[in-house]
Amino acid sequence: MSEALRSHPRTALADRAAEADRADPLARVRDRFDLDDGVTYLDGNSLGALPRAVPDRVAHVIRHEWGRLRIRSWTESGWWTAPERVGDRIGPIVGAAPGQIVVGDSTSVNVFRALVSAVRLAQQDGPGRAEIVVDATTFPTDGYIAGSAARMTGCRLRSASPDDLAGVLGPATAAVLVNHVDYRTGRLWDLPEITGMVHAAGARVVWDLSHSAGALPVGLDEHGVDLAVGCTYKYLNGGPGAPSYVYVRADLLSRLDQPLPGWCSHAEPFAMESDYRAATGISRARAGTPEILSLLALDAALDVWDGVEIAAVRDKSLALTGFFVDCVTALLPSGRVTCATPTGERRGSQVSLRCAGAAGVMRRLIDRGVVGDFREPDILRFGFAPLYTRFADALHAAEVLAEVLAS
Amino acid sequence: MSEALRSHPRTALADRAAEADRADPLARVRDRFDLDDGVTYLDGNSLGALPRAVPDRVAHVIRHEWGRLRIRSWTESGWWTAPERVGDRIGPIVGAAPGQIVVGDSTSVNVFRALVSAVRLAQQDGPGRAEIVVDATTFPTDGYIAGSAARMTGCRLRSASPDDLAGVLGPATAAVLVNHVDYRTGRLWDLPEITGMVHAAGARVVWDLSHSAGALPVGLDEHGVDLAVGCTYKYLNGGPGAPSYVYVRADLLSRLDQPLPGWCSHAEPFAMESDYRAATGISRARAGTPEILSLLALDAALDVWDGVEIAAVRDKSLALTGFFVDCVTALLPSGRVTCATPTGERRGSQVSLRCAGAAGVMRRLIDRGVVGDFREPDILRFGFAPLYTRFADALHAAEVLAEVLAS
């Protein structure tokens, strides 16, 4: 921090914010969201803000497609193929060519689907692989589900930090489940490096992209990821509980042996055959009838990505989170918070501050119109959704946090 | 059929329809649905018609709960507890006291959840139970998923008609999966009798209520069913792909050991503990974050049940389907169709007619505004949703079918 910043911090920061917002190539994208209520919303890493296109689209789906066409909409309105079609719209955001992503079910269900599938792929590759390694820092559901996947595939479950994988991987490893960004600290793990390590050990990797997709480049195809899952209600703004997606690399699709082979994954669903024959292509990863209203809300929400390059999103994200840390450093009473989020390229798109009494502090922030969230045990979590967060928002949040901590 | 009916069939049938519609205690319920387009909709057994309360409710959820309250809606708008709350609204329709039904995931996923749980319950009860019996006539997804459940629990899979269960059940039986109503023929299986047989063999039963819930009394509690699943987009009118539900009998909940233990099924989800501790109560059957838009559309759709008794629904259903068969018998060219649906108490709420060239016949019916559906290989399927189908609709459908077959 410069001396000038120390002496006139608010003014200098306000100037920086104004200049950064003026120069922001994504500034126009904010208008695609309904943020008209003046709230400083820094919880888009938990539930993305409402894209303006969603209400009318869902109203049309309900009143016309369901209300008028009714059952005919499964074909005439494209409901039946929506899981694959919407999956292909997510593709560019996570670096996947068409035909490898399908949307449906919750992230928990897709973690189960992907992890069991990964174990079976590894066991198809060769004998002796009977261990699932799960990221010890992971969002809890991934660990719980990994436990069930291990139990049901006859594997051992082993927990390890992504930092320690080198000492854990070996000829017994079947599959490794890693979160791309740690939900608590915002730490970004090195996807190319870890994917390479898992492959070098002859195992399969499953990435959980819930806290990275839509905030930074993932490069699934480029880095040879085997399988991935992610939620769509955070940086993809699909709405509360919007359906999850699963990615299966193209060359693995014909070998995919997934544990939830519902009728939508059948080669000919409407033949109603009593014997199961898996579909070719990514439809093979489907299960039951998709929840169309939630799925088509997501479809409409993805319109905000028109013309947006994920590299620009990452640039803005790093600038925003870096600026917020600068504001916090300059404005907050000394010693009241410590930053739990790594710097620069090892950071996702959030800033987590450890703070005594964090739960109460967050309540007071929310009362003053600055919405982040609290995570056990002492974390103030601020998400910076690059499509709609301004540098001025980052400054304002730090200012209000400083007031709350000073009061 | 009376002689008078034979000689003046249309007039006599029209008189009967008018009288039955006048006397129908459920006639007023039709106004709760948007059926203003003049279509004769007999596919409510596949996708229920749109309840009028849904569009405004979903619009409010999107614009206000998501758009304004955003993340706060998980508590302030009751999103978090909606799966259990909506489950309790389904309870009276299927004869379940509160606290035993939770809504979420697709029927396919819930069949997997329920069947694996049933096997584990049976194995907790005693050793040697390693066989899953699945209804050979079942909707295909149930059979496919049962295959996966068997594989992943180390069970054998055995297929049998519900008629033949007596010869199949034994000390090796762990769990039996039966569809309450056959999706193809409309045959209703005897739930109390089959449940008793399964229990007498020391096994656990899972009922799939997709084609019965909302059309006839089920009596889950009364008949001591162990577990049940069902979809909500047929006679429950929840909308395309509306979420499924699972029932677990109260006394089994503390022993429930389900295969998809996502974070929403944890005793303290927001403690974010790395070790899994199952919730008490039906929340234990949850997995990941529920698809809120689809779930709350279902919630609004359930308003149509206010003041409706399921016994009256069954009375009307039997009268409607019986009347339709009478119309078909009286009006159709002789020998062109045969009825695949049993009579009276063994009938669900649909009538399936076997007919040469059924696919083409159904296309022509739909072109003339009579919407049923075609099922392989030769079935014309007509669903009679008792909440909104009129006797006049049944007559009209038979008349148009007669014209199509005569042309």
Side-chain angles (χ1 to χ4, degrees):
Chain A
M1 194 166 33
S2 70
E3 281 308 303
L5 194 62
R6 279 201 195 282
S7 45
H8 305 288
R10 278 194 176 73
T11 308
L13 290 167
D15 289 348
R16 271 182 69 189
E19 174 50 32
D21 281 326
R22 265 194 303 274
D24 175 15
L26 297 175
R28 65 192 159 79
V29 180
R30 179 179 166 92
D31 294 338
R32 300 177 188 175
F33 292 86
D34 177 356
L35 291 157
D36 304 336
D37 58 350
V39 167
T40 299
Y41 190 64
L42 299 178
D43 212 4
N45 55 322
S46 188
L47 176 66
L50 171 65
R52 291 191 198 277
V54 169
D56 286 351
R57 172 72 188 280
V58 175
H60 179 78
V61 171
I62 293 176
R63 290 185 186 277
H64 179 71
E65 297 183 4
W66 173 13
R68 279 292 163 270
L69 300 183
R70 303 189 187 95
I71 196 71
R72 293 162 50 192
S73 276
W74 282 107
T75 48
E76 293 178 32
S77 302
W79 290 352
W80 183 263
T81 52
E84 292 87 355
R85 187 175 56 74
V86 178
D88 279 346
R89 297 191 72 192
I90 294 172
I93 301 172
V94 293
Q100 303 175 105
I101 294 181
V102 68
V103 179
D105 300 317
S106 70
T107 308
S108 295
V109 169
N110 272 330
V111 168
F112 183 78
R113 169 180 283 129
L115 205 43
V116 170
S117 300
V119 166
R120 289 175 177 169
L121 283 168
Q123 293 176 344
Q124 289 169 15
D125 292 335
R129 298 199 175 267
E131 198 165 85
I132 293 174
V133 179
V134 61
D135 178 357
T137 61
T138 192
F139 186 75
T141 212
D142 294 43
Y144 309 156
I145 294 286
S148 178
R151 173 182 175 187
M152 299 192 79
T153 55
C155 284
R156 292 176 300 279
L157 182 67
R158 194 160 171 180
S159 180
S161 165
D163 268 340
D164 301 329
L165 279 179
V168 170
L169 300 175
T173 312
V176 181
L177 171 65
V178 193
N179 264 260
H180 197 191
V181 171
D182 185 293
Y183 79 100
R184 203 181 311 234
T185 64
R187 174 164 178 178
L188 171 67
W189 294 102
D190 189 328
L191 181 142
E193 182 188 19
I194 291 174
T195 299
M197 284 169 57
V198 173
H199 286 172
R204 299 292 181 174
V205 70
V206 178
W207 284 94
D208 184 336
L209 309 176
S210 293
H211 290 83
S212 61
L216 49 92
V218 177
L220 290 175
D221 288 351
E222 178 185 356
H223 303 302
V225 166
D226 300 299
L227 297 108
V229 303
C231 95
T232 63
Y233 47 78
K234 300 179 186 290
Y235 298 108
L236 298 182
N237 313 298
S244 167
Y245 58 90
V246 61
Y247 163 91
V248 183
R249 204 178 64 221
D251 64 293
L252 301 176
L253 279 170
S254 65
R255 296 166 55 196
L256 185 75
D257 181 12
Q258 64 122 334
L260 296 164
W263 74 298
C264 298
S265 74
H266 194 276
E268 291 186 65
F270 289 95
M272 305 276 171
E273 299 175 353
S274 58
D275 289 331
Y276 183 71
R277 288 187 297 126
T280 55
I282 192 64
S283 305
R284 195 180 184 112
R286 290 177 63 168
T289 310
E291 299 187 32
I292 291 295
L293 303 188
S294 288
L295 176 58
L296 295 184
L298 167 63
D299 189 26
L302 290 170
D303 289 354
V304 300
W305 291 90
D306 287 354
V308 172
E309 294 294 328
I310 195 71
V313 172
R314 176 61 167 164
D315 289 345
K316 181 174 175 186
S317 164
L318 286 175
L320 268 173
T321 53
F323 178 64
F324 179 66
V325 172
D326 285 351
C327 293
V328 164
T329 307
L331 302 177
L332 260 59
S334 176
R336 291 299 298 276
V337 304
T338 58
C339 185
T341 305
T343 54
E345 289 296 334
R346 291 171 61 203
R347 171 185 294 161
S349 199
Q350 74 188 56
V351 173
S352 296
L353 303 176
R354 293 195 186 278
C355 175
V361 170
M362 184 51 72
R363 276 194 300 273
R364 288 155 69 198
L365 280 173
I366 293 170
D367 287 344
R368 294 178 185 217
V370 175
V371 178
D373 61 21
F374 162 71
R375 283 295 177 263
E376 294 280 359
D378 60 352
I379 297 257
L380 299 171
R381 202 171 65 150
F382 299 95
F384 291 84
L387 298 192
Y388 54 79
T389 307
R390 298 166 299 198
F391 290 84
D393 298 323
L395 172 58
H396 179 68
E399 286 178 327
V400 175
L401 177 58
E403 290 165 18
V404 163
L405 291 177
S407 67
Chain B
M1 197 165 33
S2 69
E3 282 309 304
L5 195 61
R6 278 199 196 282
S7 44
H8 307 289
R10 277 192 179 74
T11 308
L13 290 167
D15 289 348
R16 268 180 71 190
E19 174 52 30
D21 282 324
R22 265 195 302 275
D24 175 14
L26 296 175
R28 66 191 159 79
V29 180
R30 179 178 167 92
D31 295 337
R32 300 177 187 174
F33 292 86
D34 178 356
L35 292 158
D36 304 337
D37 59 352
V39 167
T40 300
Y41 190 64
L42 300 178
D43 212 3
N45 55 321
S46 188
L47 176 66
L50 172 64
R52 291 190 198 278
V54 169
D56 287 350
R57 173 71 187 281
V58 174
H60 179 77
V61 170
I62 292 176
R63 291 184 186 278
H64 179 72
E65 298 183 4
W66 173 14
R68 280 291 162 272
L69 299 183
R70 303 190 185 93
I71 196 70
R72 294 162 49 191
S73 276
W74 283 107
T75 47
E76 292 177 32
S77 302
W79 289 353
W80 184 261
T81 52
E84 293 85 354
R85 186 176 57 75
V86 178
D88 280 346
R89 297 191 71 191
I90 294 172
I93 301 171
V94 293
Q100 301 175 106
I101 294 180
V102 68
V103 179
D105 299 316
S106 70
T107 308
S108 295
V109 169
N110 272 329
V111 167
F112 184 78
R113 169 180 281 127
L115 204 45
V116 170
S117 299
V119 167
R120 290 175 176 170
L121 283 168
Q123 293 177 342
Q124 289 170 15
D125 290 338
R129 296 197 176 269
E131 198 165 84
I132 293 175
V133 179
V134 62
D135 176 357
T137 61
T138 192
F139 186 75
T141 212
D142 293 43
Y144 309 156
I145 294 286
S148 179
R151 173 182 176 187
M152 298 193 78
T153 55
C155 284
R156 293 177 299 279
L157 182 67
R158 196 161 170 179
S159 180
S161 166
D163 267 341
D164 301 327
L165 279 180
V168 170
L169 301 174
T173 312
V176 181
L177 172 64
V178 192
N179 264 260
H180 197 191
V181 171
D182 185 293
Y183 79 99
R184 202 179 314 233
T185 63
R187 174 163 178 180
L188 171 68
W189 295 102
D190 190 326
L191 182 143
E193 182 187 19
I194 290 174
T195 300
M197 285 170 57
V198 174
H199 285 172
R204 300 292 180 172
V205 70
V206 178
W207 284 94
D208 184 337
L209 309 176
S210 293
H211 290 83
S212 62
L216 50 91
V218 177
L220 290 174
D221 287 350
E222 178 185 355
H223 302 302
V225 167
D226 299 300
L227 297 107
V229 303
C231 94
T232 63
Y233 47 77
K234 300 178 187 292
Y235 298 108
L236 297 182
N237 312 298
S244 166
Y245 58 89
V246 60
Y247 163 90
V248 183
R249 204 178 64 221
D251 63 293
L252 301 175
L253 280 170
S254 65
R255 296 168 53 196
L256 184 74
D257 180 12
Q258 64 121 334
L260 296 164
W263 73 300
C264 297
S265 73
H266 194 277
E268 292 185 65
F270 289 95
M272 305 279 171
E273 298 175 355
S274 57
D275 289 331
Y276 182 72
R277 289 187 294 125
T280 54
I282 191 65
S283 305
R284 196 179 184 114
R286 291 177 64 168
T289 309
E291 300 188 32
I292 291 295
L293 302 188
S294 288
L295 176 58
L296 296 184
L298 167 62
D299 189 26
L302 290 170
D303 290 355
V304 300
W305 291 91
D306 287 352
V308 173
E309 294 293 328
I310 195 71
V313 172
R314 177 61 168 164
D315 289 346
K316 181 174 175 187
S317 164
L318 286 175
L320 268 173
T321 53
F323 178 65
F324 179 67
V325 171
D326 285 352
C327 294
V328 164
T329 307
L331 302 177
L332 260 59
S334 177
R336 292 296 298 277
V337 304
T338 58
C339 186
T341 304
T343 54
E345 289 297 333
R346 290 172 60 204
R347 170 184 296 161
S349 199
Q350 75 188 57
V351 174
S352 296
L353 303 176
R354 293 193 186 280
C355 174
V361 170
M362 184 51 71
R363 276 195 299 274
R364 288 154 68 198
L365 280 174
I366 292 171
D367 287 344
R368 296 179 184 217
V370 174
V371 178
D373 61 22
F374 162 71
R375 283 294 177 262
E376 294 280 359
D378 62 352
I379 297 256
L380 298 171
R381 202 171 64 148
F382 300 94
F384 292 85
L387 298 192
Y388 54 78
T389 307
R390 297 166 300 197
F391 290 85
D393 297 323
L395 172 58
H396 178 70
E399 287 178 327
V400 175
L401 177 58
E403 290 165 18
V404 163
L405 291 177
S407 69

